[in-house]
Amino acid sequence: EAGVTQFPSHSVIEKGQTVTLRCDPISGHDNLYWYRRVMGKEIKFLLHFVKESKQDESGMPNNRFLAERTGGTYSTLKVQPAELEDSGVYFCASSQAGTGPREQYFGPGTRLTVT
Amino acid sequence: SQQGEEDPQALSIQEGENATMNCSYKTSINNLQWYRQNSGRGLVHLILIRSNEREKHSGRLRVTLDTSKKSSSLLITASRAADTASYFCATDALVGANSKLTFGKGITLSVRP
């Protein structure tokens, strides 16, 4: 079974440009999460999809960030326009449907560098 | 300070020794999870302990949870060089279907061969 995949693995863009990150969750996982780790800080939750619906987007830093999950499969996270403080590693995770405690399976992350 | 705060921040031990890592948190939780991250890789789930559990084992891993002290520990016994990685604790309040992990900054474990 393939794990969570993310593309690209690394992106270097200039301030003001747009970047789109992609996450493919484990097949059949209804829950999809985005997290990010800014240098020197802890990994922070951004948002949670259940299928194609945004269940919780309380961690999205501002309206320059837009996440979508059309069709309830893969998800994209667009940053437009990118700022220097957006640099960091963006992780995607997925988990099975259900209401009990369950582990989240993480992808390798996308390292975003904004110059 | 943040939820899921680990200590020490860095730990260096000899292969074969045991490694103990601690995590403290501030708010109520449904469960606590430990993850490992090898350099440049994604987070790998190690173990999940529910708030009504006190201890859990998985292979060479032993996790304890003390909800009265809002703390958890991860013990790796008979460490190996391959255990060198960053370790994170993450708490999950799990309100309804809303699962949202809150991580600490992590502990860097180095196991010397």
Side-chain angles (χ1 to χ4, degrees):
Chain A
E1 179 185 274
V4 177
T5 59
Q6 292 186 246
F7 182 83
S9 57
H10 195 178
S11 178
V12 181
I13 62 171
E14 292 183 353
K15 176 182 171 180
Q17 290 186 321
T18 298
V19 64
T20 300
L21 314 180
R22 174 171 169 143
C23 168
D24 286 78
I26 292 173
S27 178
H29 280 192
D30 286 348
N31 294 295
L32 187 148
Y33 309 84
W34 284 97
Y35 295 84
R36 77 170 177 177
R37 187 178 193 192
V38 173
M39 186 65 70
K41 301 282 185 70
E42 63 274 17
I43 300 166
K44 284 201 168 178
F45 168 86
L46 295 178
L47 89 160
H48 170 203
F49 283 101
V50 177
K51 297 184 180 179
E52 67 276 9
S53 300
K54 291 176 185 175
Q55 182 78 14
D56 181 357
E57 52 184 328
S58 61
M60 295 288 264
N62 52 61
N63 59 10
R64 295 186 294 103
F65 290 75
L66 175 65
E68 295 180 322
R69 192 183 182 195
T70 307
T73 54
Y74 71 92
S75 173
T76 57
L77 179 65
K78 180 191 287 188
V79 185
Q80 179 183 29
E83 298 290 344
L84 298 178
E85 63 263 27
D86 300 331
S87 295
V89 181
Y90 290 75
F91 292 101
C92 175
S94 70
S95 69
Q96 294 178 327
T99 55
R102 53 201 175 277
E103 68 176 278
Q104 295 183 18
Y105 296 83
F106 280 77
T110 292
R111 181 173 295 278
L112 175 64
T113 303
V114 183
T115 62
Chain B
S1 56
Q2 62 246 338
Q3 185 86 331
E5 194 164 339
E6 300 97 338
D7 79 271
Q9 291 190 326
L11 180 62
S12 181
I13 59 173
Q14 198 72 35
E15 201 166 29
E17 293 180 336
N18 296 340
T20 299
M21 291 166 272
N22 303 302
C23 168
S24 60
Y25 58 92
K26 295 189 177 297
T27 61
S28 296
I29 64 170
N30 174 278
N31 65 85
L32 184 145
Q33 305 180 32
W34 283 90
Y35 285 83
R36 183 187 75 223
Q37 184 184 27
N38 291 88
S39 180
R41 302 284 189 92
L43 294 158
V44 174
H45 185 268
L46 295 177
I47 199 162
L48 181 154
I49 185 165
R50 300 174 187 231
S51 59
N52 61 355
E53 297 177 310
R54 292 297 166 258
E55 188 172 312
K56 207 161 181 181
H57 297 255
S58 176
R60 295 184 295 114
L61 305 180
R62 172 178 169 254
V63 168
T64 63
L65 179 63
D66 186 335
T67 53
S68 66
K69 294 181 179 177
K70 289 187 166 58
S71 67
S72 174
S73 68
L74 170 67
L75 168 68
I76 303 175
T77 59
S79 64
R80 305 167 181 167
D83 295 328
T84 295
S86 293
Y87 291 80
F88 298 87
C89 74
T91 57
D92 188 353
L94 191 55
V95 178
N98 288 349
S99 176
K100 175 167 70 177
L101 297 178
T102 302
F103 286 86
K105 285 187 180 181
I107 300 169
T108 301
L109 173 66
S110 298
V111 182
R112 304 185 301 273

